[in-house]
Structures are given as C-alpha cells and as structure tokens.
C-alpha cells in the first residue's frame, strides 16, 4: 500500500511515510472488510460514511506540513485513521465527530493509541473547537460549501488549514488556507477530491 499507492504517486516526505508504517489501516475498517484494508479506495465504515482512500490521507497529511509539538484539530473523526496518523507526528491532536455511533467506535481505538479522552470529541466541527483554540493546523475530512469562518478564527497566526470545499453535488477541491504572522489569509487550490458533505452548522 505504502510503496504502490503513496510513494509511487510522489509522496515521499519521511514523516508521512513513517506515520503510515506505524498505523495499520486494517485496525480502522469494519471486520468484514479487513481483507480489503489495503486497497486503493475509500471503504464504508457504516452510517453512510467512509474511511478515505490511503493516498488521500497521505496527500492531506503531506499538505498539512505538521511539525512535532504543534496543536492540531481534525474535523470528521470517522474511523479515526487520519487522527491516528497525525498523532504519530505530534501527540497534541484533537478530533471531533458529529455522528455519535462513529465517535463511540473510534474513541477506544484512539485511546489505545495514546489519545487522552478529552482529545476525542463528540460535536459539530463546523464551529471548530473553541475551548482548545487556537490551533497550528486544522484538517477537515468532510466538505462544506465554503470555509467555515470559525475555523479561520481558531487558526493561530503562522497556521495552515487543509480542507475540501464544494457545494453539495458540485466538484470539490482541496484548499490550503494559510494565516500569516500578521493575520493575513491566503487561500490556494490543490486538486479535485470527493468527500462526504459536512453537516451541522445550523444556528443553535
Ligand atoms: N477522517 C476520517 C474520514 C472521515 S469521513 C477517517 O480517517 O476515517 C467524514 C466524517 O466527517 C464522517 O464521519 C462524518 O460523520 C463527519 N462529519 C461531517 N460533518 C461533520 C461536522 N460538522 N462535525 C464533525 N464531523 C462531521
């Protein structure tokens, strides 16, 4: 999986490859799909949600440019795989999931890998995670129609967001948001992707 799907497609950052070697994707897919854990595709994890294709996890991890010691927020825990990968690079990772059944499934997996209970959160990530802000890095693994304002507000100056953006049933692009030391926001487009839509975001 690592050689053919990730390195051969140009992701060679040592920290990203090392992270993939430490986390077995088979531990994050439903039992009946274990034999397909290393295929080059997203897989269903129940409740209409998916664990992303390994290459997409690698690409987003690479684009995020996470450094050891940084504080990271992931929105869309899903299976917990992406969070576990990030946690091998810096232990200060928070992940938030809106679907309770998925949160319940992912939490014990992540606790076993060294997450503290407060790092695995049930809630609406459209609003970010104000109690833990600011973050050096934010990674979003569900697609909103535009970048939620709360995420930009909760990004530390010098920080970076990787997020798929696109209206429902429209093409999505990975966007890279950077905030300069003096607070200036720059948005760049990376490549086309397909993620499940981000839900939540309605006024309370
Ligand atoms: N990162 C995951 C893949 C996630 S699939 C993995 O590695 O397996 C996208 C996830 O985002 C789904 O579990 C979905 O329920 C969740 N999601 C969608 N909208 C959300 C929101 N507003 N807040 C938090 N999670 C959300």
């Amino acid at each position: 999986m690592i050689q053919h799907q990730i390195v051969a497609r140009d992701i060679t950052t040592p920290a990203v490859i090392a992270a993939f070697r430490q986390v077995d994707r088979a531990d994050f897919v439903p039992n009946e799909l274990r034999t397909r854990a290393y295929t080059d595709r997203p897989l269903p994890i129940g409740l209409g949600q998916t664990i992303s294709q390994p290459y997409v996890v690698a690409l987003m991890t690479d684009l995020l440019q996470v450094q050891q010691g940084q504080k990271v927020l992931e929105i869309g825990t899903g299976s917990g795989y992406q969070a576990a990968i990030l946690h091998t690079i810096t232990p200060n990772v928070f992940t938030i999931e809106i679907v309770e059944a998925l949160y319940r499934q992912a939490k014990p997996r992540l606790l076993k890998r060294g997450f503290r209970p407060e790092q695995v959160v049930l809630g609406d990530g459209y609003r970010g995670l104000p109690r833990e802000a600011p973050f050096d890095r934010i990674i979003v693994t569900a697609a909103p129609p535009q970048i939620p304002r709360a995420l930009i507000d909760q990004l530390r100056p010098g920080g970076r967001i990787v997020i798929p953006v696109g209206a429902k049933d429209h093409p999505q692009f990975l966007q890279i948001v950077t905030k300069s030391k003096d607070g200036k926001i720059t948005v760049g487009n990376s490549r086309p992707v397909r993620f499940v839509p981000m839900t939540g975001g309605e006024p309370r």
Side-chain angles (χ1 to χ4, degrees):
M1 181 185 99
I2 294 171
Q3 276 309 320
H4 291 104
Q5 300 173 33
I6 295 172
V7 177
R9 286 189 187 122
D10 262 15
I11 294 177
T12 53
T13 309
V16 177
I17 305 302
F20 272 78
R21 294 206 191 287
Q22 287 175 64
V23 184
D24 188 349
R25 191 170 186 250
D27 294 339
F28 293 84
V29 303
N31 274 334
E32 62 278 16
L33 294 178
R34 272 187 87 91
T35 55
R36 285 162 59 195
Y38 311 115
T39 53
D40 195 12
R41 297 183 49 77
L43 292 171
I45 55 172
L47 296 121
Q49 304 302 327
T50 56
I51 178 173
S52 305
Q53 181 190 11
Y55 174 70
V56 172
V57 177
L59 174 65
M60 291 178 77
T61 306
D62 201 35
L63 291 171
L64 201 61
Q65 298 179 7
V66 192
Q67 316 283 325
Q68 155 74 31
Q70 287 182 331
K71 189 169 192 177
V72 180
L73 174 64
E74 181 200 24
I75 295 162
T77 312
S79 69
Y81 182 58
Q82 173 77 75
I85 294 271
L86 292 168
H87 188 265
T88 68
I89 304 174
T90 181
N92 208 5
V93 177
F94 289 77
T95 182
I96 180 165
E97 170 58 53
I98 200 167
V99 175
E100 183 164 4
L102 294 175
Y103 157 81
R104 286 186 184 285
Q105 203 168 49
K107 191 158 192 167
R109 287 177 187 155
L110 292 174
L111 295 184
K112 230 168 39 188
R113 303 197 69 96
F115 277 71
R116 287 173 281 113
E118 65 271 22
Q119 289 178 277
V120 186
V121 180
L122 174 64
D124 180 5
Y126 192 89
R127 297 187 174 78
L129 189 57
R131 67 167 159 86
E132 292 292 343
F135 298 95
D136 299 295
R137 298 287 186 266
I138 300 177
I139 178 171
V140 184
T141 63
Q146 59 245 329
I147 302 167
R149 183 71 226 177
L151 303 188
I152 292 177
D153 293 343
Q154 290 171 33
L155 187 64
R156 198 193 299 276
R160 167 183 279 258
I161 304 176
V162 176
I163 179 172
V165 179
K168 201 166 184 290
D169 303 322
H170 280 72
Q172 300 167 1
F173 284 87
L174 269 186
Q175 297 194 341
I176 320 291
V177 182
T178 52
K179 188 186 264 189
S180 69
K181 296 280 182 211
D182 58 2
K184 192 170 163 286
I185 302 298
T186 308
V187 182
N189 254 337
S190 174
R191 51 188 97 186
V193 282
R194 277 184 75 170
F195 278 85
V196 297
M198 183 184 274
T199 59
E202 297 86 20
R204 267 183 255 247

